């Protein structure tokens, strides 16, 4: 089980959290102008990197607030926790490929 | 304000009052229900002095800004739930206390950007005490309840106990080896959680008390 440091409550067990998928996916400003392929890209297609992944988490069983997490998908190491609406801090992720 | 009506505990059907132990001091875990707490959920900006002053005026307590802590004046306790969210709790009060507390808060808060919601109806408070109370909770909860990690009296945390969402508040220090916790859960989880607790505490010896 991961230990995730909620920016509000502190370090807690993963079972208190809910994963919200990849972070920093912006909703298209004008969805009607999109082609089907572009819309499918926005709705369905997500990165599946080996290494650094930026994702959203919600502390469902705690303070119920959203935040962003930078995680290494190979080692499961949590590299950074940063607030919603902000860009990730400078990271030096390990490269696998 | 709603008219008062007969509130019934979600554990009423278990007949706990008829099962209270005559020798609770012999049991390592004492379980009881603190009936029908008055609870008001509060949202607001703790950095705004007017919000803090309004709470002091209405409740006699200032909202704690430190995470997972509780401020109390002996009557009303304010439990930290989030960076802008608290739960005002009062035990043993008259049935109208909750509506009165909420009305007082609304008057004091005035036009401030804040919210008060009466939520007492959804909470069931189970009181756990005794030398093995910590062990029982730790069987199903990922929190470390040792005072070194949890902080002891005056600390609270939201987590889950055997998958049921809980709000845990340590109310007695346990320096004498007898820590006590108030455990709040939602109405619909109460029956399940009570049975789970009684089962989990069974191996240490459990007594039902009226706290």
């Amino acid at each position: 089980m991961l230990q995730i440091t909620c920016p509000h409550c502190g370090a807690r067990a993963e079972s208190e959290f809910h994963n919200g998928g990849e972070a920093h996916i912006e909703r298209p400003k004008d969805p009607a102008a999109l082609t089907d392929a572009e819309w499918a890209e926005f709705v369905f297609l997500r990165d599946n990197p080996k290494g650094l992944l930026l994702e959203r988490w919600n502390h469902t069983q705690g303070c119920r607030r959203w935040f962003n997490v930078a995680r290494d998908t190979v080692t499961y190491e949590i590299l950074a926790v940063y607030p919603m609406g902000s860009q990730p801090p400078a990271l030096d992720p390990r490269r696998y490929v | 304000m709603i008219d008062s009506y007969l509130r019934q505990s979600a554990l009423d059907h278990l007949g706990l009052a008829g099962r209270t132990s005559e020798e609770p001091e012999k049991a390592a875990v004492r379980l009881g229900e603190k009936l029908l707490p008055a609870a008001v959920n509060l949202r607001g900006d703790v950095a705004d002095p007017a919000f803090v002053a309004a709470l002091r005026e209405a409740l006699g307590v200032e909202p704690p800004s430190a995470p997972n802590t509780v401020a109390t004046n002996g009557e009303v306790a304010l439990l930290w739930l989030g960076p802008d969210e608290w739960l005002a709790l009062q035990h043993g009060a008259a049935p109208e206390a909750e509506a009165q507390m909420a009305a007082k808060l609304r008057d004091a808060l005035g036009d401030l950007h804040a919210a008060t919601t009466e939520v007492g109806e959804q909470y069931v408070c189970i009181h756990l005490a005794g030398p093995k109370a910590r062990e029982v909770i730790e069987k199903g909860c990922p929190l470390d309840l040792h005072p070194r990690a949890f902080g002891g009296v005056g600390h609270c945390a939201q987590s889950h106990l055997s998958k049921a969402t809980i709000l845990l508040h340590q109310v007695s220090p346990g320096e004498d080896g007898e820590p006590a916790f108030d455990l709040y859960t939602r109405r619909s989880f109460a029956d399940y959680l009570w049975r789970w607790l009684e089962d989990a505490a069974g191996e240490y010896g459990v007594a039902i008390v009226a706290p």
Side-chain angles (χ1 to χ4, degrees), chain B residues 6 30 71 85-86 103 105 115 142 144 166 195 203 207:
Chain B
L6 192 63
R30 293 186 296 279
E85 188 175 5
W86 295 267
L105 277 163
D144 181 355
I166 57 160
R195 289 172 198 267
E203 64 169 304

Short mmCIF file of all heavy atoms in Angstrom, two decimals, chain B residues 6 30 71 85-86 103 105 115 142 144 166 195 203 207:
data_model
loop_
_atom_site.label_atom_id
_atom_site.label_comp_id
_atom_site.label_asym_id
_atom_site.label_seq_id
_atom_site.Cartn_x
_atom_site.Cartn_y
_atom_site.Cartn_z
N LEU B 6 -39.56 13.27 17.63
CA LEU B 6 -38.87 12.23 18.39
C LEU B 6 -37.70 11.67 17.56
O LEU B 6 -37.92 10.94 16.60
CB LEU B 6 -39.85 11.13 18.76
CG LEU B 6 -39.33 10.13 19.79
CD1 LEU B 6 -39.03 10.81 21.11
CD2 LEU B 6 -40.33 9.01 19.95
N ARG B 30 -14.49 -0.85 26.83
CA ARG B 30 -15.85 -0.44 27.17
C ARG B 30 -16.46 0.29 25.98
O ARG B 30 -15.85 1.21 25.43
CB ARG B 30 -15.83 0.46 28.40
CG ARG B 30 -15.38 -0.26 29.66
CD ARG B 30 -15.50 0.59 30.89
NE ARG B 30 -14.62 1.75 30.84
CZ ARG B 30 -13.32 1.73 31.13
NH1 ARG B 30 -12.76 0.59 31.49
NH2 ARG B 30 -12.59 2.80 31.06
N ALA B 71 -10.65 22.16 19.29
CA ALA B 71 -10.72 23.22 20.30
C ALA B 71 -12.04 23.06 21.04
O ALA B 71 -13.06 22.78 20.42
CB ALA B 71 -10.65 24.59 19.64
N GLU B 85 -12.97 23.86 6.98
CA GLU B 85 -14.16 23.12 7.41
C GLU B 85 -13.99 22.58 8.84
O GLU B 85 -12.95 22.03 9.18
CB GLU B 85 -14.39 21.95 6.43
CG GLU B 85 -15.69 21.23 6.64
CD GLU B 85 -15.93 20.16 5.58
OE1 GLU B 85 -15.05 19.93 4.74
OE2 GLU B 85 -17.01 19.56 5.61
N TRP B 86 -15.03 22.78 9.64
CA TRP B 86 -15.01 22.30 11.03
C TRP B 86 -16.35 21.67 11.36
O TRP B 86 -17.35 21.92 10.68
CB TRP B 86 -14.75 23.46 12.01
CG TRP B 86 -13.41 24.06 11.85
CD1 TRP B 86 -12.27 23.73 12.53
CD2 TRP B 86 -13.03 25.08 10.92
NE1 TRP B 86 -11.22 24.49 12.07
CE2 TRP B 86 -11.64 25.31 11.10
CE3 TRP B 86 -13.71 25.81 9.95
CZ2 TRP B 86 -10.94 26.25 10.33
CZ3 TRP B 86 -13.02 26.73 9.19
CH2 TRP B 86 -11.65 26.95 9.39
N ALA B 103 -28.64 28.61 14.48
CA ALA B 103 -29.25 29.94 14.36
C ALA B 103 -28.31 31.01 14.92
O ALA B 103 -28.12 32.07 14.32
CB ALA B 103 -30.58 29.96 15.10
N LEU B 105 -25.10 30.80 15.11
CA LEU B 105 -23.97 30.93 14.19
C LEU B 105 -24.35 31.79 12.99
O LEU B 105 -23.58 32.65 12.56
CB LEU B 105 -23.53 29.54 13.71
CG LEU B 105 -22.59 28.80 14.66
CD1 LEU B 105 -22.55 27.33 14.31
CD2 LEU B 105 -21.19 29.38 14.62
N ALA B 115 -20.59 29.04 5.68
CA ALA B 115 -21.77 28.17 5.59
C ALA B 115 -21.94 27.39 6.89
O ALA B 115 -20.96 26.97 7.50
CB ALA B 115 -21.63 27.22 4.41
N PRO B 142 -6.24 2.38 9.36
CA PRO B 142 -4.81 2.53 9.05
C PRO B 142 -4.08 3.58 9.89
O PRO B 142 -2.86 3.72 9.77
CB PRO B 142 -4.82 2.95 7.57
CG PRO B 142 -6.13 3.61 7.38
CD PRO B 142 -7.09 2.94 8.32
N ASP B 144 -2.19 5.38 12.98
CA ASP B 144 -1.39 5.01 14.14
C ASP B 144 -1.91 5.81 15.32
O ASP B 144 -1.81 7.03 15.34
CB ASP B 144 0.09 5.33 13.87
CG ASP B 144 0.97 4.92 15.04
OD1 ASP B 144 0.43 4.48 16.07
OD2 ASP B 144 2.20 5.04 14.91
N ILE B 166 -15.10 7.11 9.19
CA ILE B 166 -15.23 7.52 10.59
C ILE B 166 -14.54 8.85 10.84
O ILE B 166 -13.65 9.27 10.09
CB ILE B 166 -14.63 6.48 11.58
CG1 ILE B 166 -13.15 6.21 11.26
CG2 ILE B 166 -15.42 5.21 11.59
CD1 ILE B 166 -12.37 5.61 12.40
N ARG B 195 -21.55 -3.74 15.49
CA ARG B 195 -21.37 -5.19 15.54
C ARG B 195 -19.91 -5.56 15.28
O ARG B 195 -19.36 -6.48 15.90
CB ARG B 195 -22.27 -5.87 14.50
CG ARG B 195 -23.74 -5.80 14.88
CD ARG B 195 -24.61 -6.31 13.74
NE ARG B 195 -25.99 -5.90 13.88
CZ ARG B 195 -26.93 -6.63 14.48
NH1 ARG B 195 -26.64 -7.79 15.00
NH2 ARG B 195 -28.16 -6.17 14.55
N GLU B 203 -12.26 -10.54 21.99
CA GLU B 203 -11.12 -11.31 22.51
C GLU B 203 -10.49 -10.67 23.75
O GLU B 203 -9.80 -11.33 24.51
CB GLU B 203 -10.06 -11.51 21.42
CG GLU B 203 -9.42 -10.23 20.95
CD GLU B 203 -8.20 -10.50 20.08
OE1 GLU B 203 -7.29 -11.20 20.53
OE2 GLU B 203 -8.15 -9.99 18.93
N ALA B 207 -17.35 -4.67 27.57
CA ALA B 207 -18.49 -4.33 28.41
C ALA B 207 -19.25 -3.20 27.75
O ALA B 207 -18.65 -2.29 27.17
CB ALA B 207 -18.02 -3.90 29.79
#
